Structures are given as structure tokens and as C-alpha cells.
Amino acid sequence: MSKDKKLKHLASTIFLEDLKVGLERSISKKIGEAEIKMFAEISTDHNPLHLDLEYAQKTMFKGRIAHGMLTASLISAVIGEQLPGHGSIYLHQDLNFLSPVRIGDTVEATVSVQNIELKTRK
């Protein structure tokens, strides 16, 4: 993959006129105890599946897992910091969680330009 197509942790702003279909950016983050605890406090989601090892070991996951929305929030980081960057927001998201994220796992979120609508600026 070319250097232009995939740069990690590069804060930038790409103007609509400079976007190209196929352009992508990524961020990766190691999920630790601190991230899970902070997300629980911010979201007020204190599900013991995320916070209580004894409880979580009795579930189908056989241990603690990260909040799904914690991992999904990395998408927002890529959009707001890299592609297209500062000043942008996104309006829609569809998620499918395929496997649990555990403490110590590294998650990568990749955003790619699939379509550009210059007339509506979307």
C-alpha cells in the first residue's frame, strides 16, 4: 500500500476538494485497564462484564471484555483527526462486532473514502 493511502496517527485536515476515492487513514490503540475504566465512567456503562473479572469469567466470554463502543469510538478519532480531519463530523455508522476485545488487545480503525458528492458536500 502506498504511503499516501495509509498513514497512522497523522493529524491533518483534508479539504473536500482534495479527497479522492480510495484514500484511507488508520489509528491503532492498545486497550488497557485504564481505557476501560475511563470509558465506564464517561459512558456510565458499569456492566460487570467489562469491570468485574469474577463475574466476567462466568459468562460466554470467559473473562472481561472492552465496551464495544469504546473500540468503535476510534472511528470518530480517525474522522475528526485525519480523514477528513478537524471540523468534520460523520452522520451515520453501522457496526458489527465480530469478536470481543480484551485487555491488552490492540484495535485498529481504518476509514476510507468510498464516495464523494461535491454538490451536497457529503
Side-chain angles (χ1 to χ4, degrees):
M1 185 168 287
S2 74
K3 183 179 180 184
D4 184 52
K5 281 204 158 206
K6 190 166 187 173
L7 298 174
K8 296 185 187 295
H9 304 288
L10 177 67
S12 66
T13 299
I14 302 173
F15 296 101
L16 180 66
E17 296 78 16
D18 297 325
L19 290 175
K20 296 178 178 112
V21 172
L23 187 64
E24 66 180 42
R25 297 290 187 264
S26 298
I27 189 171
S28 61
K29 174 99 176 124
K30 186 173 184 177
I31 305 299
E33 179 76 27
E35 287 77 13
I36 292 172
K37 284 183 176 179
M38 283 188 285
F39 191 83
E41 288 304 311
I42 291 167
S43 68
T44 70
D45 179 354
H46 295 96
N47 183 333
L49 182 57
H50 308 302
L51 302 168
D52 183 335
L53 179 60
E54 188 176 319
Y55 173 89
Q57 286 176 327
K58 297 174 187 170
T59 70
M60 64 184 267
F61 298 106
K62 306 293 184 215
R64 291 174 54 204
I65 62 171
H67 302 75
M69 293 311 292
L70 166 58
T71 61
S73 70
L74 294 177
I75 297 166
S76 179
V78 178
I79 291 170
E81 292 291 322
Q82 299 179 30
L83 183 62
H86 294 175
S88 63
I89 59 167
Y90 64 101
L91 303 175
H92 181 82
Q93 178 174 318
D94 287 315
L95 298 170
N96 292 309
F97 297 103
L98 303 177
S99 61
V101 172
R102 300 181 186 281
I103 294 172
D105 287 350
T106 298
V107 176
E108 181 176 77
T110 301
V111 171
S112 64
V113 177
Q114 300 293 306
N115 186 35
I116 301 169
E117 297 179 24
L118 290 173
K119 286 183 182 178
T120 59
R121 300 193 62 79
K122 293 183 187 177

